[in-house]
Amino acid sequence: MAIGKQHLLAFFMVLLLSGCSSKNDYGAELPYDAWRLGFLAPNYMEVWIETADVVDIKDRLFRRAMSGVAAIQTPPNLRGNPRGWPKRPGDGAGKHVFGADVPRLIYVRWQSLAEPQTYEAYIDIPESIRHTMLEVREKTYCKASKKWIKDYRELLVIGLAPGGVAKTWISGACLDPIEVSRVQGKVVEKGPYLGQSGGQYGLKLEPESQAYIDKFGIPYDSW
């Protein structure tokens, strides 16, 4: 039975307040040391991540599993194209989530510096994706090493775009990504840092990013 967004939000808030864990009904252990959580943004559309919190399948909460800047390219002379997502998005800027089992829910709150606006989103990781992260070890050719290897999909990558879009993939170092979901986040009414910064955002746009937005605007309909 599908869980409604209101129930999902209520469950997550209980975890934030209590930090308690419940019985693991999945019973899985990672076949690798840790999975990695990474973030990226379209060209010039810079992002500052206030927090990314993870709930694993044992209902354990990992606060601030990631924070800081998302991976981005800002080509000079306005030569970059921020529209859409790349076919292979890459690993993003991120960290390994040590001690966690596979993720069930990810909460991310970020500042879209291109607008500027602050958003939050709840990203549900389906059971089928969790199984893929654990069980599928695929044989693939790795261009970097020029060898055939067996690789797990232990990389979880989230793309954050203006308008509050959060798109998620899983991949391996030498495996093509699998799309997980596209989530529409919501505006955080309190603003950056939940209203604790007096409306001030974490960073200013790089000159190349500001120049691109001033000339071409933000392609909201492309993500």
Side-chain angles (χ1 to χ4, degrees), residues 17 32 71 79 134 136 170 182 190:
L17 291 172
Y32 36 81
R79 292 180 299 179
L134 286 170
V136 179
I170 58 167
R182 180 186 182 278
K190 292 182 178 180

Side-chain angles (χ1 to χ4, degrees), residues 74-123:
T74 54
N77 303 319
L78 311 183
R79 292 180 299 179
N81 181 11
R83 299 184 67 86
W85 300 104
K87 292 183 179 180
R88 189 178 178 87
D91 299 351
K95 298 178 181 178
H96 284 85
V97 188
F98 289 100
D101 212 312
V102 287
R104 189 175 61 77
L105 180 68
I106 297 173
Y107 167 79
V108 57
R109 186 175 69 249
W110 76 98
Q111 300 172 13
S112 174
L113 302 175
E115 299 175 83
Q117 187 63 271
T118 305
Y119 297 99
E120 64 180 358
Y122 294 85
I123 302 168

Side-chain angles (χ1 to χ4, degrees), residues 112-188:
S112 174
L113 302 175
E115 299 175 83
Q117 187 63 271
T118 305
Y119 297 99
E120 64 180 358
Y122 294 85
I123 302 168
D124 185 32
I125 308 299
E127 184 178 4
S128 60
I129 295 296
R130 301 196 299 263
H131 273 295
T132 301
M133 293 179 70
L134 286 170
E135 296 181 356
V136 179
R137 192 180 187 193
E138 299 182 34
K139 188 174 182 179
T140 184
Y141 181 75
C142 195
K143 293 182 180 179
S145 63
K146 297 182 179 180
K147 295 180 180 179
W148 285 91
I149 65 169
K150 287 188 176 180
D151 198 10
Y152 287 102
R153 295 184 185 274
E154 82 282 12
L155 306 175
L156 194 149
V157 183
I158 301 174
L160 301 174
V165 173
K167 189 164 184 177
T168 305
W169 303 264
I170 58 167
S171 66
C174 298
L175 293 171
D176 291 332
I178 296 174
E179 182 176 332
V180 176
S181 66
R182 180 186 182 278
V183 173
Q184 178 60 57
K186 295 183 178 180
V187 172
V188 177

Side-chain angles (χ1 to χ4, degrees), residues 12-85:
F12 196 91
M13 291 306 297
V14 168
L15 287 171
L16 288 174
L17 291 172
S18 67
C20 296
S21 61
S22 63
K23 184 179 180 180
N24 177 18
D25 59 0
Y26 196 78
E29 294 183 1
L30 297 179
Y32 36 81
D33 290 338
W35 56 273
R36 185 179 186 276
L37 178 62
F39 290 87
L40 55 87
N43 289 1
Y44 307 112
M45 305 295 142
E46 296 178 43
V47 162
W48 176 261
I49 301 158
E50 293 185 3
T51 187
D53 304 332
V54 172
V55 178
D56 73 1
I57 55 170
K58 296 177 182 176
D59 289 343
R60 296 176 299 180
L61 175 63
F62 294 80
R63 300 174 188 270
R64 291 178 66 84
M66 173 58 185
S67 60
V69 295
I72 192 172
Q73 295 183 7
T74 54
N77 303 319
L78 311 183
R79 292 180 299 179
N81 181 11
R83 299 184 67 86
W85 300 104

